[in-house]
Amino acid sequence: MMRNFRKPLIIATPKTLLRSPAATSSLEELESGTTFRPIITTNTDNVDPKTVDTMILCSGKHYYTLESERRRLIDEQGRNDLKNSVIVRVEELCPFPAQLIGEELRKYSAVNKLIWSQEESRNAGAWNFVASRMQNILGVKVQYCGRPVHAAVASGIGSVHNEEKDAILRDTFTKS
C-alpha cells in the first residue's frame, strides 16, 4: 500500500544486534529511492551463480551466526566448498516472498541443496510456515536444520543451549 507520508520503522530485535557493525546499514541504503528488501542474498561477491550448489535460507539474527561460522570454516579449516554457497535472509515472512525466492533459485540454477536453518526448535520458529510455502508455491523441498521439537522454547541450561547451537551450525554446514 502506497501512502503520501512516511511512517517510522519499528524493529523488535535482540540486544546483541543493536551495536553490531554487521547489522548496520550504510547511508546509501537509507537514501530516497531505496526500498525495503524482503530477502537479502549474501556472500555473492566473486561467486559465479552457475557454481553455487547450496542455498541456505534463514531469518532473524541467526543469519549473523551462520555467516560468522561460514567465514570461520573457510578461513580456519579451508572449507572452500562453502564458497559455493549463498545465504538468503528472509526478512519478511508475510506476505511470503515466494516470487523473490523463486527468482533467486532461477539465478542460482545449479543449487541442489536447499536448507532452512533456524535457532529455534522445529515447532517454535518459522520452519512450519516456510516449508509448506516452499513446497506448495515453489514446488521445492527444503531440508531442516535446527533444534528438534520441544515443549519449551529453551532448555534453560547454558551448556545444553550451546551444544544445541553448535549442532545446528554443524548440521547446516555439513548438509551444505
Side-chain angles (χ1 to χ4, degrees), residues 86-110:
V86 292
I87 300 175
V88 177
R89 295 165 42 189
V90 181
E91 298 287 314
E92 177 182 59
L93 292 169
C94 192
F96 189 70
Q99 181 178 358
L100 296 172
I101 293 173
E103 289 172 11
E104 291 299 295
L105 287 169
R106 285 186 291 282
K107 178 180 175 183
Y108 300 103
S109 57

Side-chain angles (χ1 to χ4, degrees), residues 2 29-30 39 56 59 62 66 68 75 79-81 83 86 93 98 103 131-132 134 157 162 168-169 172 176:
M2 297 296 291
E29 292 175 306
L30 303 174
I39 67 167
I56 301 168
S59 67
H62 188 54
L66 289 173
S68 66
D75 294 342
R79 291 277 312 273
N80 291 326
D81 60 312
K83 292 181 180 178
V86 292
L93 292 169
E103 289 172 11
S132 62
M134 294 291 286
I157 302 170
N162 289 334
I168 293 166
L169 295 174
T172 300
S176 67

